[in-house]
């Protein structure tokens, strides 16, 4: 965290301004120490340059595990694709020039897929995630001067209201315990005249018959490590089968829904062939 961020930080419990306690610096960054609320006594440790407003282990731990393994896979500049650029600017309806110089809040940053796009455009980014995926984001961006990372809950954000020109939340709301409450918790942090951008899964009656929902009663009882190992074993076998089935005219894509691996138009044919299995595993 950079000390300049302190001016917009607020206690997520009582909304009072936060103060720095005992700290250690590394170059121009606050590398460790704590933030303290003089009003209610709340304290947040700063570990590896990231203020932690939530316990290390929480319901999002599986996402932290996921992005620790795959955090860089969806980053365009590290691979031969432009999928993240295309998705971000399609959903935002803006250009990189529109973002330059803005103060942006990313709610649910994960390993930094979209963070990379925002920083590349020249915005000042405050990125938050409930999981320890913030560590992967930090590793990816190596103390970028325009990036402040926080481990915190979307429903209890540690910022001053009406602070950000843009607040966005992509691929996250549907995974929170209460998506409606999570959405409403973002609204106060947008400046008057600013923008709030979110996305959610489409509501579709056929989704309940999708293989992943049928498998969920079994997979949710498995440890994430065991489930990941299983998927790693079967993916190299199932991806080629799914690819062949999908090539059948008219009926191929509907039939492929019954093959228990995620192979779809979002990445098939758009990433290098050698990466298709990794995307399917993710």
């Amino acid at each position: 965290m950079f000390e300049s961020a302190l001016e917009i930080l607020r206690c997520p419990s009582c909304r009072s301004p936060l103060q720095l306690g005992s700290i250690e610096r590394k170059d121009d960054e606050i590398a460790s120490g704590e933030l303290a609320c003089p009003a209610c006594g709340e304290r947040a440790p700063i570990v590896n340059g990231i203020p932690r407003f939530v316990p290390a282990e929480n319901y999002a731990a599986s996402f932290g595990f996921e992005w620790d393994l795959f955090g860089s896979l969806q980053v365009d500049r590290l691979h031969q694709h432009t999928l993240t650029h295309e998705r971000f600017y399609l959903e935002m309806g803006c250009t990189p020039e529109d973002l330059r110089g803005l103060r942006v809040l990313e709610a649910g940053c994960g390993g930094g897929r979209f963070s990379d796009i925002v920083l590349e455009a020249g915005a000042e980014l405050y990125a938050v995630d409930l999981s320890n995926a913030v560590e992967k984001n930090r590793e990816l961006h190596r103390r970028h001067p325009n990036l402040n990372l926080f481990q915190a809950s979307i429903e209890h954000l540690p910022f001053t209201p009406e602070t950000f020109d843009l607040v966005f939340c992509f691929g996250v709301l549907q995974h929170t315990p209460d998506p409606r409450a999570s959405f409403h918790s973002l609204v106060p942090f947008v400046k008057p005249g600013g923008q709030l951008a979110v996305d959610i899964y489409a509501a579709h009656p056929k989704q309940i018959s999708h293989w992943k929902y049928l498998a969920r009663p079994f997979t949710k009882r498995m440890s994430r490590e065991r489930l990941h190992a299983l998927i790693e074993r079967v993916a190299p076998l199932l991806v080629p089968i799914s690819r062949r089935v999908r090539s059948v005219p008219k009926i191929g894509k509907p039939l492929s829904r019954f093959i228990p691996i995620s192979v779809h138009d979002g990445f098939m044919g758009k990433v290098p062939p050698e990466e298709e299995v990794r995307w399917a595993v993710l």
Side-chain angles (χ1 to χ4, degrees):
M1 185 188 93
F2 297 100
E3 193 162 351
S4 58
L6 191 62
E7 65 175 311
I8 68 166
L9 293 184
R10 294 293 181 271
C11 174
S13 297
C14 72
R15 315 310 307 171
S16 299
L18 293 171
Q19 296 179 351
L20 286 172
S22 176
I23 62 170
E24 291 185 8
R25 300 178 185 274
K26 186 174 182 180
D27 300 325
D28 55 348
E29 181 190 41
I30 300 172
S32 64
E34 70 172 14
L35 290 164
C37 176
C40 72
E42 194 82 14
R43 295 180 181 275
I46 302 171
V47 182
N48 196 24
I50 304 170
R52 318 289 177 143
F53 292 94
V54 292
E57 189 73 14
N58 52 62
Y59 79 82
S62 289
F63 289 103
F65 176 80
E66 177 182 23
W67 296 123
D68 185 51
L69 293 171
F70 299 99
S72 63
L73 184 64
Q74 296 177 317
V75 178
D76 291 358
R77 64 179 170 88
L78 300 180
H79 297 272
Q80 300 174 50
H81 60 74
T82 58
L83 294 182
T84 297
H85 273 79
E86 291 169 9
R87 176 178 167 184
F88 180 83
Y89 286 113
L90 176 65
E91 296 196 15
M92 282 301 308
C94 70
T95 67
E97 290 72 26
D98 295 327
L99 294 180
R100 187 170 295 119
L102 297 186
R103 178 181 280 171
V104 177
L105 170 61
E106 180 181 6
C109 63
R113 175 188 190 182
F114 296 115
S115 303
D116 205 68
I117 304 299
V118 175
L119 292 170
E120 180 184 75
E124 176 189 358
L125 178 62
Y126 291 74
V128 175
D129 203 90
L130 185 64
S131 79
N132 63 6
V134 288
E135 298 282 357
K136 195 69 176 183
N137 198 327
R138 175 182 168 83
E139 177 186 321
L140 178 66
H141 296 106
R142 302 188 180 188
R143 303 203 307 277
H144 193 291
N146 281 1
L147 174 63
N148 283 283
L149 284 162
F150 304 86
Q151 189 173 0
S153 167
I154 286 178
E155 293 191 15
H156 303 282
L157 290 167
F159 304 113
T160 303
E162 299 185 356
T163 294
F164 298 96
D165 302 293
L166 166 66
V167 176
F168 77 94
C169 182
F170 290 165
V172 175
L173 286 183
Q174 56 267 15
H175 300 296
T176 63
D178 187 339
R180 180 182 294 271
S182 296
F183 171 81
H184 283 290
S185 71
L186 299 174
V187 176
F189 298 98
V190 185
K191 284 182 177 178
Q195 291 183 302
L196 171 62
V198 302
D199 66 4
I200 57 170
Y201 293 154
H204 198 296
K206 291 182 180 180
Q207 286 283 15
I208 61 172
S209 64
H210 194 283
W211 64 262
K212 67 181 178 182
Y213 297 108
L214 299 178
R216 187 165 176 79
F218 306 98
T219 58
K220 70 181 182 180
R221 291 181 170 85
M222 301 170 66
S223 72
R224 49 185 175 260
E225 293 81 7
R226 183 183 174 199
L227 179 58
H228 171 245
L230 173 63
I231 297 170
E232 288 278 11
R233 285 199 300 271
V234 302
L237 303 174
L238 294 180
V239 168
I241 294 172
S242 182
R243 188 189 296 116
R244 292 193 193 97
V245 170
R246 285 169 60 83
S247 68
V248 177
K250 296 184 180 180
I251 64 172
K253 287 185 179 180
L255 282 177
S256 71
R257 289 174 58 88
F258 296 96
I259 301 172
I261 194 72
S262 183
V263 175
H264 54 77
D265 295 333
F267 65 87
M268 291 297 287
K270 298 179 182 180
V271 301
E274 63 272 15
E275 290 187 1
E276 288 180 350
V277 170
R278 298 302 296 152
W279 277 76
V281 173
L282 169 60

